[in-house]
Amino acid sequence: MADDAPPPPFVYDGLDPVLEEKTIIGEVADAVKGTARRIGDAVDSGRRPGMPLSILSNIAREAPLGSLLIAFLLGVAVARRR
C-alpha cells in the first residue's frame, strides 16, 4: 500500500449554498419586523386575565369617565415635573 494518496479537499464545490448578502434596507426591515413581533407578544401576554393590561381595560370599561380623569391628572402631574 502506498501512502502517497492525496488528501480529500476540505471544501466541496457546489455543495455549500452561496450566502446572499442582505442590503441595509433588508436588515432594517427584518429588525423592525422582529421588534414588532416582540412588542405584540408582550401586549398579548399583558392582556391575559389577571395581568395589568387586562385589569386596566376592565377598569376603563366599567368607569370610563373616572379613568379619563385619572389619566388627565397623571398627565398633569408628569408634565409639571419637567
Side-chain angles (χ1 to χ4, degrees):
M1 297 265 256
D3 289 330
D4 33 306
F10 292 108
V11 178
Y12 297 100
D13 291 331
L15 293 179
D16 291 334
V18 177
L19 298 176
E20 296 180 17
E21 294 185 23
K22 289 187 176 182
T23 62
I24 294 175
I25 295 173
E27 290 179 12
V28 170
D30 289 342
V32 169
K33 288 177 186 176
T35 303
R37 184 174 41 249
R38 285 192 297 273
I39 291 172
D41 292 343
V43 169
D44 289 341
S45 68
R47 287 186 179 171
R48 291 185 189 142
M51 297 300 286
L53 288 179
S54 173
I55 294 170
L56 286 175
S57 66
N58 288 339
I59 291 172
R61 196 174 305 122
E62 292 174 7
L65 290 178
S67 299
L68 184 61
L69 175 66
I70 292 172
F72 175 75
L73 292 176
L74 285 173
V76 169
V78 170
R80 282 188 168 205
R81 288 187 179 181
R82 290 185 179 195

